[in-house]
Amino acid sequence: MLDKVQPAPVAQGSRLWRPKRVLLSRSAREWAHGRAIAERAASQGIPVFELLTDRLTLDLPNDDPRRAYAQAKSTLAVVVAPPSKRRLQPIAPSADWRVDLAEGCPAHCSYCYLAGSLKGPPITRVYANLPEILDELPRHLGQGTVTSRQSERAGEGTTFEASCYTDPLGIEHLTGSLSETVKWFGAWKADAQLRFTTKFDAVEPLLRIDHGGRTRMRASLNPSLFARHEGGTSPVASRLDALRRMAEAGYPVGLTIAPIIAEPGWEEAYGMLIADAGRALNGVAGLDLTVELITHRFTPTSREVLSGWYPGSSLDMGPDGRTEKRTKFGSIKHVYDAPTMKMLRRFFETEIAAQLPKARILYFT
Ligand code: SF4
């Protein structure tokens, strides 16, 4: 018998993901949070399949990659995160530690970094054992190396990033995991900060939480010129409006301008985006605003996966203006070459100083 839960409050007019099916694994059923997610989906009329085991049987068509992709993208699986997934990893430069509430995302961004990091069909998995995930955090307090080294981040304490493998706000109306985590940080009263970044706008469930100022939301943004690369996300103006509402609710906020795409027209497009952000946040009392700047990059694997998922994409992943960078794990990343990076960096630093004088730039990468 599933627990009865109230549907999460949602923003009027938000475009909310509605998966075609929810798979509830046997172990996930043993967790109240897992049962609550299934019940919430069922209350919205989404078919919920209770599995007899923890093995996810996806039944995706072998002979039709487009259909297989579409079916995977419209599947939400409620599973239990094993100990290996609950072990926190350092995640510079964004935060000290990565904490995963879920894995996968329902949107269709043609540059999505998850294409190179997650294996298998692109379903979204949400973790039912949220209490076990949160239990891992206290032992990492004071252990990070990223935020303690940066004066721009003074006062943040140890930082925990929840958006590395998912967009937690894009699935919040079904999972409730982000609200629970924000509440948990609010009650923790430790020198710590939860961070999440999002390309969605449905912040309604977060607005009245006792967050204690220990969660920073960042809106992940690109100008309308590149909106065609961000299928299934909320419009940029709504993301900025959501960010303003969060700032008015007392949250520290930020902009993640990512991925910065140096295609024709980029200067004017990003200049307008930064001006729009300035207008959206204008007049917010006590605004605590940061900016993170992440240029477009890809690996040979992510390029191959993305080319299969989005064969018609106009995103430039060719060799011009690019150079290879070796990661600390020895793999190759294709990033913009040094002159392009220099030009981008100068532009963003100048524009942000002019249009968002209260903002602190945390990093450019
Ligand atoms: Fe990937 Fe973020 Fe787009 Fe989701 S919103 S598809 S995580 S880039």
Side-chain angles (χ1 to χ4, degrees), residues 73 105-109 111-114 166-167 199-200 233:
K73 272 286 188 179
C105 172
H108 307 271
C109 301
Y111 50 69
C112 182
Y113 58 95
L114 296 181
T166 188
D167 187 315
K199 289 189 186 286
F200 290 85
T233 60

Side-chain angles (χ1 to χ4, degrees), residues 282-312:
N282 187 30
V284 175
L287 181 68
D288 175 349
L289 176 68
T290 57
V291 182
E292 291 150 78
L293 300 165
I294 305 172
T295 53
H296 180 230
R297 69 259 336 266
F298 53 88
T299 64
T301 309
S302 69
R303 179 172 50 194
E304 195 188 324
V305 173
L306 289 167
S307 306
W309 287 352
Y310 309 113

